[in-house]
Amino acid sequence: FTVTDGNGRPIPNPNIESATIQLLGPNNVPVPAIVEDPQTPVFITLLIDGSGSMQNVIGDVRAAAQSAINSAPPTAHFAVIQFNQDFTILQDFTDDHNRVKNAINQIEAVPNRGTCLYDSVYNAINLLDDRIQSQEERRAIILFTDGKDQLRVGDDAPCSQQTYSDVINAARPSDITRPITPIHTIGLFDASGSNLNE
């Protein structure tokens, strides 16, 4: 379970000392529960924009991604993916955080390459679906981008085949047997904020 506040934001250290679980129904009694941090693996995809517009900020993005590794729980398995018009897996899921950091250091902004944002997030969700075999294994995507889904800066023509709705439907499937994929977005924007599709 994830404990959230009234606005739906997770509470990182809720300080719960005891708990019970109450199943719905007239004859069910509360059952004691153990409160502890989860020990199951968490699979985190670092999805990093390597389009041409990232050239001035790619160093900051690498540093932010490294910070995510340093603050991760010991059960974290990371994959590192660079995207622009291509979707390139630089490191498949591993719990070797040094290998993950080395993959992050390989990421470069590629001049004149577009931002196929929605295709890339959609592909990352599918990668998690393929990799995770157990309902107990947790998942997340951390997305680093500075732009919109566009083939060229200044042109609103989309780069992706998938749409925003396709991504949301994949991340929050209507089939309750399929897990939800949280997507945490780190959006880098210019002074006007016009480069980012909030």
Side-chain angles (χ1 to χ4, degrees), residues 30-142:
V31 178
I34 298 171
V35 179
E36 62 185 3
D37 288 335
Q39 301 303 312
T40 54
V42 55
F43 292 88
I44 302 170
T45 301
L46 299 176
L47 187 59
I48 303 175
D49 187 344
S51 62
S53 60
M54 293 286 289
Q55 287 178 318
N56 293 332
V57 295
I58 198 69
D60 293 333
V61 169
R62 283 193 212 105
Q66 298 274 1
S67 177
I69 305 300
N70 294 335
S71 60
T75 58
H77 293 69
F78 287 95
V80 179
I81 299 170
Q82 175 176 314
F83 74 95
N84 40 53
Q85 289 166 244
D86 300 313
F87 182 85
T88 307
I89 300 172
L90 299 176
Q91 174 62 59
D92 203 351
F93 288 106
T94 180
D95 61 355
D96 183 338
H97 293 182
N98 287 327
R99 288 176 62 189
V100 175
K101 289 178 180 181
N102 288 338
I104 291 168
N105 287 334
Q106 294 175 32
I107 294 174
E108 296 290 341
V110 182
N112 302 316
R113 298 296 283 171
T115 306
C116 293
L117 180 63
Y118 299 140
D119 283 353
S120 299
V121 178
Y122 191 87
N123 290 339
I125 294 167
N126 287 333
L127 183 69
L128 284 163
D129 285 343
D130 291 343
R131 177 61 179 88
I132 295 176
Q133 303 301 315
S134 168
Q135 289 289 343
E136 289 79 27
E137 293 175 333
R138 298 164 291 147
R139 58 174 57 207
I141 294 172
I142 303 176

